[in-house]
Coordinates of all heavy atoms in Angstrom, one line a residue:
M27 N 4.2 109.9 19.0 CA 3.3 110.4 18.0 C 2.9 111.8 18.5 O 2.5 112.0 19.6 CB 2.0 109.5 17.8 CG 1.0 110.1 16.9 SD -0.3 109.0 16.5 CE -0.5 107.9 17.7
N28 N 3.0 112.7 17.6 CA 2.6 114.1 17.9 C 1.2 114.4 17.3 O 0.6 113.6 16.6 CB 3.7 115.1 17.5 CG 3.9 115.1 16.0 OD1 3.0 114.8 15.3 ND2 5.1 115.4 15.6
A29 N 0.8 115.6 17.6 CA -0.6 116.0 17.2 C -0.7 116.1 15.7 O -1.8 115.7 15.1 CB -0.9 117.4 17.8
Q30 N 0.4 116.4 15.0 CA 0.4 116.5 13.5 C 0.2 115.1 12.9 O -0.5 114.9 12.0 CB 1.7 117.2 13.0 CG 1.6 117.6 11.6 CD 2.8 118.4 11.2 OE1 3.9 118.4 11.9 NE2 2.8 119.0 10.1
D31 N 0.9 114.1 13.5 CA 0.8 112.7 13.0 C -0.7 112.2 13.2 O -1.2 111.6 12.3 CB 1.7 111.8 13.8 CG 3.2 112.0 13.3 OD1 3.4 112.5 12.3 OD2 4.1 111.5 14.1
S32 N -1.2 112.5 14.3 CA -2.6 112.1 14.7 C -3.6 112.7 13.6 O -4.5 112.0 13.1 CB -2.9 112.5 16.1 OG -4.3 112.2 16.3
S33 N -3.4 114.0 13.4 CA -4.3 114.7 12.4 C -4.1 114.1 11.0 O -5.1 113.9 10.3 CB -3.9 116.2 12.4 OG -4.6 116.9 11.4
R34 N -2.9 113.8 10.6 CA -2.6 113.2 9.3 C -3.3 111.8 9.2 O -3.9 111.5 8.2 CB -1.1 113.1 9.0 CG -0.8 112.6 7.6 CD 0.7 112.5 7.3 NE 1.3 113.8 7.6 CZ 2.6 113.9 8.0 NH1 3.3 112.9 8.1 NH2 3.1 115.1 8.1
R35 N -3.2 111.0 10.2 CA -3.8 109.7 10.3 C -5.4 109.8 10.2 O -6.0 109.0 9.4 CB -3.4 109.0 11.6 CG -2.1 108.3 11.5 CD -1.9 107.5 12.7 NE -0.5 107.1 12.7 CZ 0.0 106.1 13.5 NH1 -0.8 105.5 14.2 NH2 1.2 105.8 13.4
R36 N -5.9 110.8 10.9 CA -7.3 110.9 10.8 C -7.8 111.3 9.5 O -8.7 110.8 8.9 CB -7.7 112.0 11.9 CG -9.2 111.9 12.2 CD -9.7 112.8 13.3 NE -8.7 113.0 14.4 CZ -8.1 114.2 14.7 NH1 -8.5 115.3 14.1 NH2 -7.3 114.3 15.7
F37 N -7.0 112.2 8.8 CA -7.3 112.6 7.4 C -7.2 111.5 6.5 O -8.1 111.3 5.7 CB -6.4 113.8 7.0 CG -6.5 114.1 5.5 CD1 -7.6 114.9 5.1 CD2 -5.6 113.7 4.6 CE1 -7.7 115.2 3.8 CE2 -5.7 114.0 3.3 CZ -6.8 114.8 2.8
L38 N -6.1 110.7 6.6 CA -6.0 109.6 5.6 C -7.1 108.6 5.9 O -7.6 108.0 4.9 CB -4.6 108.9 5.8 CG -3.5 109.8 5.3 CD1 -2.1 109.0 5.6 CD2 -3.5 109.9 3.7
G39 N -7.5 108.3 7.1 CA -8.6 107.4 7.4 C -9.8 107.8 6.8 O -10.6 107.0 6.2
Q40 N -10.2 109.1 6.9 CA -11.4 109.6 6.3 C -11.3 109.5 4.8 O -12.3 109.2 4.2 CB -11.6 111.1 6.8 CG -12.0 111.2 8.2 CD -12.0 112.6 8.7 OE1 -11.3 113.5 8.1 NE2 -12.6 112.9 9.9
A41 N -10.2 109.9 4.2 CA -10.1 109.8 2.8 C -10.3 108.4 2.2 O -11.0 108.1 1.2 CB -8.7 110.4 2.3
I42 N -9.7 107.4 2.9 CA -9.9 106.0 2.5 C -11.3 105.6 2.6 O -11.9 105.0 1.8 CB -8.9 105.1 3.3 CG1 -7.4 105.4 2.9 CG2 -9.2 103.6 3.1 CD1 -6.4 104.8 3.7
T43 N -11.9 106.0 3.7 CA -13.3 105.6 4.0 C -14.2 106.1 2.9 O -15.1 105.5 2.4 CB -13.8 106.1 5.4 OG1 -13.0 105.5 6.3 CG2 -15.3 105.7 5.7
A44 N -14.0 107.4 2.5 CA -14.8 108.1 1.5 C -14.5 107.4 0.2 O -15.5 107.1 -0.6 CB -14.4 109.5 1.3
A45 N -13.3 107.0 -0.1 CA -13.0 106.3 -1.4 C -13.7 105.0 -1.5 O -14.3 104.5 -2.5 CB -11.5 106.2 -1.6
L46 N -13.7 104.2 -0.4 CA -14.3 102.9 -0.3 C -15.8 103.0 -0.5 O -16.5 102.3 -1.1 CB -14.0 102.2 1.0 CG -12.5 101.7 1.0 CD1 -12.2 101.1 2.4 CD2 -12.2 100.7 -0.1
A47 N -16.4 104.0 0.2 CA -17.8 104.3 0.0 C -18.2 104.5 -1.4 O -19.2 104.1 -1.9 CB -18.3 105.4 0.9
G48 N -17.4 105.3 -2.1 CA -17.6 105.6 -3.5 C -17.6 104.4 -4.3 O -18.4 104.2 -5.2
L49 N -16.6 103.5 -4.1 CA -16.5 102.2 -4.8 C -17.7 101.3 -4.6 O -18.3 100.7 -5.5 CB -15.3 101.4 -4.4 CG -13.9 102.0 -5.0 CD1 -12.8 101.3 -4.4 CD2 -13.9 102.0 -6.5
A50 N -18.2 101.3 -3.4 CA -19.4 100.5 -3.0 C -20.6 101.0 -3.7 O -21.4 100.3 -4.3 CB -19.6 100.5 -1.5
L51 N -20.8 102.3 -3.8 CA -21.9 102.9 -4.5 C -21.8 102.6 -6.0 O -22.8 102.3 -6.6 CB -22.0 104.5 -4.3 CG -22.5 104.9 -3.0 CD1 -22.3 106.4 -2.8 CD2 -23.9 104.4 -2.7
D52 N -20.6 102.7 -6.6 CA -20.5 102.4 -8.0 C -20.9 100.9 -8.3 O -21.6 100.6 -9.3 CB -19.1 102.5 -8.5 CG -18.7 104.0 -8.6 OD1 -19.7 104.8 -8.6 OD2 -17.5 104.3 -8.8
A53 N -20.6 100.0 -7.4 CA -20.9 98.6 -7.5 C -22.3 98.4 -7.6 O -22.9 97.5 -8.3 CB -20.2 97.7 -6.4
F54 N -23.1 99.2 -6.8 CA -24.6 99.0 -6.7 C -25.3 99.7 -7.9 O -26.4 99.4 -8.1 CB -25.2 99.5 -5.4 CG -24.9 98.5 -4.3 CD1 -24.0 98.8 -3.3 CD2 -25.5 97.3 -4.2 CE1 -23.7 98.0 -2.2 CE2 -25.2 96.4 -3.2 CZ -24.4 96.7 -2.2
A55 N -24.6 100.6 -8.5 CA -25.3 101.5 -9.6 C -25.5 100.6 -10.8 O -26.5 100.9 -11.5 CB -24.4 102.6 -10.0
G56 N -24.8 99.5 -11.1 CA -25.1 98.6 -12.1 C -24.6 99.2 -13.5 O -24.1 100.3 -13.5
P57 N -24.9 98.6 -14.6 CA -24.5 99.1 -15.9 C -25.2 100.3 -16.2 O -26.3 100.6 -15.8 CB -24.8 97.9 -16.9 CG -25.9 97.1 -16.1 CD -25.6 97.3 -14.7
A58 N -24.6 101.1 -17.1 CA -25.3 102.4 -17.6 C -26.6 102.1 -18.3 O -26.6 101.0 -19.0 CB -24.3 103.1 -18.5
A59 N -27.6 102.9 -18.1 CA -28.9 102.6 -18.8 C -28.7 102.7 -20.3 O -27.9 103.6 -20.8 CB -29.9 103.7 -18.3
A60 N -29.3 101.8 -21.1 CA -29.3 101.9 -22.5 C -30.0 103.1 -23.0 O -31.0 103.6 -22.4 CB -29.8 100.6 -23.1
P61 N -29.6 103.7 -24.2 CA -30.3 104.9 -24.6 C -31.7 104.4 -25.1 O -31.9 103.2 -25.4 CB -29.4 105.3 -25.9 CG -28.6 104.1 -26.2 CD -28.5 103.3 -25.0
P62 N -32.6 105.4 -25.1 CA -34.0 104.9 -25.5 C -34.0 104.5 -26.9 O -33.3 105.0 -27.7 CB -34.8 106.2 -25.3 CG -33.9 107.3 -25.2 CD -32.6 106.7 -24.7
A63 N -34.9 103.4 -27.2 CA -35.0 102.9 -28.6 C -35.6 104.0 -29.5 O -36.5 104.7 -29.1 CB -35.8 101.6 -28.5
L64 N -35.1 104.0 -30.7 CA -35.7 105.0 -31.7 C -37.0 104.3 -32.2 O -37.1 103.1 -32.3 CB -34.7 105.1 -32.9 CG -33.4 105.8 -32.6 CD1 -32.5 105.7 -33.8 CD2 -33.7 107.3 -32.3
P65 N -38.0 105.2 -32.5 CA -39.3 104.6 -33.1 C -39.0 104.0 -34.4 O -38.1 104.5 -35.2 CB -40.2 105.9 -33.2 CG -39.2 107.1 -33.2 CD -38.0 106.6 -32.4
K66 N -39.7 102.9 -34.7 CA -39.5 102.2 -36.0 C -40.0 103.1 -37.1 O -41.0 103.7 -37.1 CB -40.3 101.0 -36.0 CG -39.8 99.9 -35.0 CD -40.8 98.7 -34.9 CE -40.3 97.7 -33.9 NZ -41.2 96.6 -33.7
L67 N -39.2 103.0 -38.2 CA -39.5 103.8 -39.4 C -40.7 103.1 -40.0 O -40.8 101.9 -40.1 CB -38.3 103.7 -40.4 CG -38.5 104.4 -41.7 CD1 -38.6 105.9 -41.5 CD2 -37.3 104.1 -42.6
T68 N -41.6 103.9 -40.4 CA -42.9 103.4 -41.1 C -42.8 103.7 -42.5 O -42.1 104.7 -43.0 CB -44.1 104.1 -40.5 OG1 -44.2 105.4 -40.8 CG2 -44.3 103.8 -39.0
Q69 N -43.5 103.0 -43.4 CA -43.5 103.2 -44.8 C -44.3 104.5 -45.2 O -44.2 104.9 -46.3 CB -44.1 102.0 -45.5 CG -43.0 100.8 -45.3 CD -43.5 99.5 -45.9 OE1 -43.5 98.5 -45.2 NE2 -43.8 99.4 -47.1
D70 N -45.0 105.1 -44.2 CA -45.7 106.3 -44.4 C -44.7 107.5 -44.4 O -45.1 108.6 -44.9 CB -46.8 106.6 -43.4 CG -47.7 105.5 -43.2 OD1 -47.7 104.6 -44.1 OD2 -48.5 105.5 -42.2
N71 N -43.6 107.4 -43.8 CA -42.6 108.4 -43.7 C -42.2 108.9 -45.1 O -41.9 108.0 -46.0 CB -41.4 107.8 -42.9 CG -40.3 108.9 -42.9 OD1 -39.7 109.4 -43.9 ND2 -39.9 109.2 -41.7
P72 N -42.3 110.2 -45.4 CA -42.1 110.7 -46.8 C -40.7 110.3 -47.3 O -40.6 109.9 -48.5 CB -42.2 112.2 -46.7 CG -43.0 112.4 -45.4 CD -42.7 111.3 -44.5
Q73 N -39.7 110.3 -46.5 CA -38.3 109.9 -46.9 C -38.3 108.4 -47.2 O -37.7 107.9 -48.2 CB -37.2 110.3 -46.0 CG -35.9 110.1 -46.5 CD -34.8 110.5 -45.5 OE1 -35.1 111.0 -44.4 NE2 -33.5 110.2 -45.8
A74 N -39.0 107.7 -46.3 CA -39.1 106.2 -46.5 C -39.8 105.9 -47.8 O -39.3 105.0 -48.6 CB -39.8 105.6 -45.3
K75 N -40.9 106.6 -48.1 CA -41.6 106.4 -49.3 C -40.7 106.7 -50.5 O -40.6 106.0 -51.5 CB -42.8 107.3 -49.4 CG -44.1 106.7 -49.0 CD -45.2 107.7 -49.2 CE -46.5 107.2 -48.6 NZ -47.5 108.2 -48.5
A76 N -40.0 107.8 -50.5 CA -39.1 108.3 -51.6 C -38.0 107.2 -51.8 O -37.6 107.1 -53.0 CB -38.4 109.6 -51.2
L77 N -37.6 106.5 -50.8 CA -36.5 105.5 -51.0 C -37.0 104.1 -51.0 O -36.3 103.1 -50.9 CB -35.4 105.7 -49.9 CG -34.6 106.9 -49.9 CD1 -33.8 107.1 -48.7 CD2 -33.8 107.0 -51.2
S78 N -38.4 103.9 -51.1 CA -39.0 102.7 -51.2 C -38.7 101.7 -50.1 O -38.5 100.5 -50.3 CB -38.6 102.0 -52.6 OG -39.0 102.8 -53.7
Y79 N -38.6 102.3 -48.9 CA -38.3 101.5 -47.7 C -39.3 100.4 -47.5 O -40.5 100.7 -47.6 CB -38.1 102.3 -46.5 CG -38.0 101.5 -45.2 CD1 -36.8 100.9 -44.9 CD2 -39.0 101.5 -44.3 CE1 -36.6 100.2 -43.8 CE2 -38.9 100.7 -43.1 CZ -37.7 100.1 -42.9 OH -37.6 99.3 -41.7
T80 N -38.9 99.3 -47.1 CA -39.8 98.2 -46.7 C -39.2 97.4 -45.5 O -37.9 97.4 -45.5 CB -40.1 97.2 -47.8 OG1 -40.9 96.2 -47.3 CG2 -38.8 96.6 -48.4
E81 N -39.9 96.9 -44.6 CA -39.5 96.1 -43.5 C -39.0 94.7 -43.9 O -38.4 94.0 -43.1 CB -40.5 96.1 -42.4 CG -40.7 97.4 -41.7 CD -41.2 97.2 -40.3 OE1 -41.8 96.2 -40.0 OE2 -40.9 98.1 -39.4
N82 N -39.4 94.3 -45.1 CA -39.1 93.0 -45.5 C -38.5 93.0 -46.9 O -39.2 93.1 -47.9 CB -40.4 92.1 -45.5 CG -40.1 90.6 -45.8 OD1 -39.0 90.2 -46.1 ND2 -41.2 89.9 -45.8
A83 N -37.2 92.8 -47.0 CA -36.6 92.9 -48.3 C -37.0 91.8 -49.3 O -36.9 92.0 -50.5 CB -35.0 92.8 -48.1
A84 N -37.6 90.7 -48.8 CA -38.0 89.6 -49.6 C -39.2 90.0 -50.5 O -39.4 89.3 -51.5 CB -38.4 88.4 -48.7
T85 N -39.8 91.1 -50.2 CA -41.0 91.5 -50.9 C -40.6 92.6 -51.9 O -41.5 93.1 -52.7 CB -42.1 92.1 -50.0 OG1 -41.6 93.2 -49.3 CG2 -42.5 91.0 -49.0
V86 N -39.4 93.0 -52.1 CA -39.0 94.1 -52.9 C -39.1 93.8 -54.4 O -38.7 92.7 -54.8 CB -37.5 94.6 -52.6 CG1 -37.1 95.6 -53.5 CG2 -37.5 95.1 -51.2
K87 N -39.8 94.7 -55.1 CA -39.9 94.6 -56.6 C -39.1 95.7 -57.3 O -39.2 95.8 -58.5 CB -41.4 94.7 -57.0 CG -42.3 93.6 -56.3 CD -42.4 92.3 -57.0 CE -43.4 91.4 -56.5 NZ -42.9 90.4 -55.6
N88 N -38.4 96.5 -56.6 CA -37.7 97.6 -57.1 C -36.6 97.2 -58.0 O -35.8 96.3 -57.6 CB -37.2 98.5 -56.0 CG -36.6 99.8 -56.4 OD1 -35.8 99.9 -57.2 ND2 -37.2 100.9 -55.8
P89 N -36.4 97.8 -59.2 CA -35.4 97.3 -60.2 C -34.0 97.5 -59.7 O -33.1 96.9 -60.2 CB -35.7 98.2 -61.4 CG -36.6 99.3 -61.0 CD -37.3 98.8 -59.8
V90 N -33.8 98.4 -58.7 CA -32.4 98.6 -58.2 C -32.0 97.6 -57.1 O -30.9 97.6 -56.7 CB -32.1 100.0 -57.8 CG1 -32.3 101.1 -58.9 CG2 -32.9 100.4 -56.5
Y91 N -33.0 96.8 -56.7 CA -32.8 95.9 -55.6 C -31.8 94.8 -56.1 O -32.0 94.2 -57.2 CB -34.1 95.2 -55.2 CG -33.9 94.1 -54.2 CD1 -33.6 94.4 -52.9 CD2 -33.9 92.7 -54.6 CE1 -33.4 93.3 -52.0 CE2 -33.8 91.7 -53.7 CZ -33.5 92.0 -52.4 OH -33.3 91.0 -51.5
K92 N -30.8 94.5 -55.2 CA -29.8 93.5 -55.5 C -30.2 92.3 -54.6 O -30.2 92.5 -53.3 CB -28.4 93.9 -55.2 CG -27.9 95.0 -56.3 CD -26.5 95.3 -55.9 CE -26.0 96.4 -57.0 NZ -25.3 97.5 -56.4
P93 N -30.4 91.1 -55.1 CA -30.7 90.0 -54.2 C -29.7 89.8 -53.1 O -28.5 89.9 -53.3 CB -30.7 88.8 -55.1 CG -30.9 89.3 -56.5 CD -30.3 90.7 -56.5
G94 N -30.2 89.6 -51.9 CA -29.4 89.4 -50.7 C -29.1 90.7 -49.9 O -28.6 90.7 -48.8
S95 N -29.5 91.8 -50.6 CA -29.2 93.1 -49.8 C -30.4 93.3 -48.8 O -31.6 93.2 -49.2 CB -29.1 94.3 -50.8 OG -30.3 94.4 -51.6
V96 N -30.0 93.6 -47.6 CA -30.9 93.9 -46.5 C -30.2 95.0 -45.7 O -29.0 95.2 -45.7 CB -31.3 92.7 -45.6 CG1 -32.1 91.6 -46.4 CG2 -30.0 92.1 -45.1
C97 N -31.1 95.6 -44.8 CA -30.5 96.7 -44.0 C -29.3 96.2 -43.2 O -28.3 96.9 -43.0 CB -31.6 97.2 -43.1 SG -32.9 98.2 -43.9
A98 N -29.4 94.9 -42.7 CA -28.3 94.4 -41.8 C -26.9 94.4 -42.5 O -25.9 94.4 -41.8 CB -28.7 93.1 -41.3
N99 N -26.9 94.3 -43.8 CA -25.6 94.3 -44.6 C -25.4 95.6 -45.3 O -24.6 95.6 -46.3 CB -25.4 93.0 -45.4 CG -26.5 92.9 -46.5 OD1 -27.1 93.9 -46.9 ND2 -26.7 91.7 -46.9
C100 N -26.1 96.7 -45.0 CA -26.0 97.9 -45.5 C -25.0 98.8 -44.8 O -24.9 98.7 -43.6 CB -27.3 98.6 -45.6 SG -27.3 100.3 -46.2
N101 N -24.2 99.6 -45.5 CA -23.2 100.4 -44.9 C -23.8 101.4 -43.9 O -23.1 102.0 -43.1 CB -22.4 101.1 -45.9 CG -21.0 101.5 -45.4 OD1 -20.4 100.7 -44.6 ND2 -20.5 102.6 -45.8
F102 N -25.1 101.8 -44.1 CA -25.7 102.9 -43.3 C -26.3 102.3 -42.0 O -26.7 103.0 -41.2 CB -26.8 103.6 -44.1 CG -26.3 104.3 -45.3 CD1 -26.5 104.0 -46.6 CD2 -25.4 105.4 -45.1 CE1 -26.1 104.6 -47.7 CE2 -24.9 106.1 -46.2 CZ -25.3 105.7 -47.5
Y103 N -26.4 100.9 -41.9 CA -27.0 100.3 -40.8 C -26.0 100.3 -39.6 O -24.9 99.9 -39.8 CB -27.4 98.9 -41.2 CG -28.3 98.2 -40.1 CD1 -29.6 98.6 -39.9 CD2 -27.8 97.2 -39.4 CE1 -30.3 97.9 -38.9 CE2 -28.5 96.5 -38.4 CZ -29.8 96.9 -38.2 OH -30.5 96.3 -37.2
K104 N -26.5 100.7 -38.5 CA -25.6 100.7 -37.3 C -26.2 99.9 -36.1 O -25.8 100.1 -35.0 CB -25.4 102.2 -36.8 CG -24.8 103.0 -37.9 CD -23.4 102.5 -38.3 CE -22.8 103.2 -39.6 NZ -21.8 102.5 -40.2
G105 N -27.1 99.0 -36.4 CA -27.7 98.1 -35.4 C -26.7 97.0 -35.0 O -25.8 96.7 -35.7
A106 N -26.9 96.5 -33.8 CA -26.1 95.4 -33.3 C -26.5 94.1 -34.0 O -27.6 93.9 -34.4 CB -26.4 95.3 -31.8
K107 N -25.5 93.3 -34.2 CA -25.7 92.0 -34.9 C -26.8 91.2 -34.1 O -26.7 91.1 -32.9 CB -24.4 91.2 -35.0 CG -24.4 90.1 -35.9 CD -23.1 89.5 -36.1 CE -23.1 88.3 -37.1 NZ -21.9 87.8 -37.4
G108 N -27.7 90.6 -34.8 CA -28.7 89.8 -34.2 C -30.0 90.6 -33.7 O -31.0 89.9 -33.3
Q109 N -29.9 91.9 -33.8 CA -31.1 92.7 -33.3 C -32.1 92.7 -34.5 O -31.6 92.9 -35.7 CB -30.7 94.1 -32.9 CG -29.8 94.1 -31.7 CD -30.6 94.0 -30.4 OE1 -31.5 94.8 -30.2 NE2 -30.2 93.0 -29.6
A110 N -33.4 92.8 -34.3 CA -34.3 92.9 -35.4 C -34.4 94.3 -35.9 O -34.7 94.4 -37.1 CB -35.7 92.5 -34.8
Y111 N -34.1 95.3 -35.1 CA -34.1 96.7 -35.6 C -32.9 97.4 -35.1 O -32.3 97.0 -34.1 CB -35.3 97.4 -35.0 CG -36.7 97.0 -35.7 CD1 -37.3 95.8 -35.2 CD2 -37.2 97.7 -36.7 CE1 -38.5 95.4 -35.8 CE2 -38.4 97.3 -37.3 CZ -39.0 96.1 -36.8 OH -40.1 95.7 -37.5
G112 N -32.5 98.4 -35.9 CA -31.3 99.2 -35.4 C -31.3 100.5 -36.2 O -32.1 100.8 -37.0
P113 N -30.4 101.4 -35.6 CA -30.3 102.7 -36.2 C -29.8 102.7 -37.7 O -29.0 101.8 -38.0 CB -29.3 103.5 -35.4 CG -29.1 102.6 -34.2 CD -29.5 101.2 -34.5
C114 N -30.2 103.7 -38.5 CA -29.7 103.8 -39.8 C -29.3 105.3 -40.0 O -30.1 106.1 -39.6 CB -30.8 103.4 -40.8 SG -30.5 104.0 -42.5
Q115 N -28.2 105.5 -40.6 CA -27.7 106.9 -40.8 C -28.6 107.7 -41.8 O -28.6 108.9 -41.7 CB -26.3 106.9 -41.3 CG -25.3 106.4 -40.3 CD -23.9 106.3 -40.9 OE1 -23.7 105.9 -41.9 NE2 -22.9 106.6 -40.0
M116 N -29.3 107.0 -42.6 CA -30.2 107.7 -43.5 C -31.5 108.1 -42.9 O -32.2 109.1 -43.3 CB -30.6 106.7 -44.7 CG -29.5 106.4 -45.7 SD -28.8 107.8 -46.5 CE -30.1 108.2 -47.7
F117 N -31.8 107.5 -41.8 CA -33.1 107.8 -41.0 C -32.7 108.0 -39.6 O -33.0 107.1 -38.7 CB -34.1 106.8 -41.2 CG -34.5 106.5 -42.6 CD1 -33.9 105.4 -43.3 CD2 -35.4 107.3 -43.3 CE1 -34.3 105.2 -44.7 CE2 -35.8 107.1 -44.6 CZ -35.2 106.0 -45.3
P118 N -32.1 109.1 -39.3 CA -31.5 109.2 -37.9 C -32.5 109.4 -36.8 O -32.3 109.1 -35.6 CB -30.6 110.5 -37.9 CG -31.1 111.2 -39.2 CD -31.7 110.2 -40.1
Q119 N -33.8 109.6 -37.1 CA -34.8 109.7 -36.1 C -35.6 108.4 -35.8 O -36.4 108.3 -35.0 CB -35.9 110.8 -36.5 CG -35.4 112.1 -36.9 CD -34.6 112.7 -35.8 OE1 -35.0 112.7 -34.6 NE2 -33.5 113.3 -36.1
N120 N -35.2 107.3 -36.6 CA -35.9 106.1 -36.4 C -35.0 104.9 -36.5 O -33.8 105.1 -36.9 CB -36.8 105.9 -37.7 CG -37.8 107.1 -37.8 OD1 -37.7 108.0 -38.5 ND2 -38.9 106.9 -37.0
S121 N -35.5 103.8 -36.2 CA -34.8 102.5 -36.3 C -35.4 101.8 -37.5 O -36.6 102.0 -37.9 CB -34.9 101.6 -35.1 OG -36.2 101.3 -34.8
V122 N -34.6 101.0 -38.2 CA -35.1 100.3 -39.3 C -35.0 98.8 -39.1 O -34.2 98.3 -38.3 CB -34.3 100.7 -40.7 CG1 -34.5 102.2 -41.0 CG2 -32.8 100.4 -40.5
A123 N -35.7 98.0 -39.9 CA -35.7 96.5 -39.8 C -34.4 95.9 -40.3 O -34.0 96.3 -41.4 CB -36.9 95.9 -40.5
A124 N -33.7 95.1 -39.5 CA -32.5 94.4 -40.1 C -32.8 93.7 -41.3 O -32.0 93.6 -42.2 CB -32.0 93.4 -39.0
K125 N -34.1 93.2 -41.5 CA -34.5 92.4 -42.8 C -35.1 93.4 -43.8 O -35.6 92.9 -44.8 CB -35.5 91.3 -42.4 CG -35.0 90.2 -41.5 CD -35.9 89.2 -41.2 CE -35.4 88.1 -40.4 NZ -36.4 87.1 -39.9
G126 N -35.0 94.7 -43.5 CA -35.6 95.7 -44.4 C -34.7 96.0 -45.5 O -33.6 95.4 -45.7
W127 N -35.1 97.0 -46.3 CA -34.3 97.4 -47.4 C -34.9 98.8 -47.9 O -36.0 99.1 -47.7 CB -34.5 96.5 -48.6 CG -33.7 96.8 -49.8 CD1 -32.4 96.5 -50.1 CD2 -34.2 97.6 -50.9 NE1 -32.1 97.1 -51.4 CE2 -33.1 97.7 -51.9 CE3 -35.4 98.2 -51.3 CZ2 -33.3 98.4 -53.1 CZ3 -35.5 98.9 -52.5 CH2 -34.5 99.0 -53.4
C128 N -34.0 99.6 -48.5 CA -34.5 100.8 -49.2 C -33.5 101.0 -50.4 O -32.4 100.4 -50.5 CB -34.5 102.1 -48.3 SG -33.0 103.0 -48.1
A129 N -33.9 101.9 -51.3 CA -33.1 102.2 -52.5 C -31.7 102.8 -52.2 O -30.9 102.9 -53.1 CB -33.9 103.1 -53.4
A130 N -31.4 103.3 -51.0 CA -30.1 103.9 -50.7 C -29.2 102.8 -50.2 O -28.1 103.1 -49.9 CB -30.3 104.9 -49.6
W131 N -29.6 101.6 -50.3 CA -28.7 100.5 -49.8 C -27.3 100.5 -50.4 O -27.2 100.8 -51.6 CB -29.4 99.1 -50.1 CG -28.5 97.9 -49.6 CD1 -28.6 97.4 -48.4 CD2 -27.5 97.3 -50.3 NE1 -27.6 96.3 -48.3 CE2 -26.9 96.2 -49.4 CE3 -26.9 97.3 -51.6 CZ2 -25.9 95.4 -49.8 CZ3 -25.9 96.5 -51.9 CH2 -25.4 95.5 -51.1
A132 N -26.3 100.4 -49.6 CA -24.9 100.3 -50.1 C -24.2 99.3 -49.3 O -24.4 99.2 -48.1 CB -24.3 101.7 -49.8
K133 N -23.5 98.4 -50.0 CA -22.8 97.3 -49.4 C -21.9 97.8 -48.2 O -21.2 98.8 -48.3 CB -21.9 96.6 -50.4 CG -21.3 95.3 -49.9 CD -20.5 94.6 -51.0 CE -20.0 93.3 -50.4 NZ -19.2 92.6 -51.4
K134 N -22.0 97.1 -47.1 CA -21.3 97.4 -45.9 C -19.7 97.3 -46.2 O -19.3 96.3 -46.9 CB -21.6 96.4 -44.8 CG -21.2 96.9 -43.4 CD -21.7 96.0 -42.3 CE -23.0 96.2 -41.7 NZ -23.2 97.5 -41.0
A135 N -19.1 98.3 -45.9 CA -17.6 98.4 -46.2 C -16.9 97.4 -45.3 O -17.3 97.2 -44.2 CB -17.2 99.8 -46.0
Ligands
SF4_1 FE1 -31.8 99.9 -44.7 FE2 -29.5 100.9 -45.7 FE3 -31.8 101.9 -46.5 FE4 -30.9 102.4 -44.0 S1 -30.0 103.0 -46.0 S2 -33.0 101.8 -44.6 S3 -29.9 100.5 -43.5 S4 -31.1 99.8 -46.8

């Protein structure tokens, strides 16, 4: 073994050690943090008022309401299945109730 081989072995050893240390750190980092939850849309919000938003579709008296329509089955709703609230493309600054409704409801495609 010459000096060049020894240097190459030392370099490879250090590279492998650094790679393993990086893998170990990744394992302890855990899953990525979830994005912060959006504040719930309130019925005082001017756009919510304009679209007759409610957190409970069962109480809707609006003539355009179609029985069975709720945010969870609306095309604009982007919440995860089973979650009580989720994002809505019509109200990008807020989350809306999965059981809610507004006049912009459109059947999920
Ligand atoms: Fe709910 Fe759809 Fe209205 Fe958004 S657009 S508030 S998901 S009914």
Side-chain angles (χ1 to χ4, degrees):
M27 175 171 25
N28 61 30
Q30 195 174 14
D31 286 342
S32 175
S33 173
R34 186 178 303 149
R35 278 185 191 199
R36 200 173 323 118
F37 171 78
L38 286 173
Q40 288 170 344
I42 290 169
T43 301
L46 290 175
L49 287 174
L51 285 175
D52 285 348
F54 285 111
L64 294 169
K66 292 176 185 173
L67 182 66
T68 65
Q69 291 175 235
D70 306 349
N71 176 301
Q73 190 182 353
K75 265 187 188 168
L77 292 172
S78 304
Y79 171 76
T80 177
E81 287 206 335
N82 184 359
T85 64
V86 174
K87 304 272 190 261
N88 193 304
V90 300
Y91 174 75
K92 291 182 180 136
S95 57
V96 291
C97 291
N99 60 22
C100 173
N101 205 36
F102 298 112
Y103 187 72
K104 301 301 170 197
K107 193 172 182 177
Q109 294 281 306
Y111 288 83
C114 164
Q115 292 175 322
M116 293 297 288
F117 301 98
Q119 307 302 316
N120 299 97
S121 62
V122 298
K125 293 179 179 173
W127 179 87
C128 87
W131 182 87
K133 188 176 179 184
K134 199 176 266 299

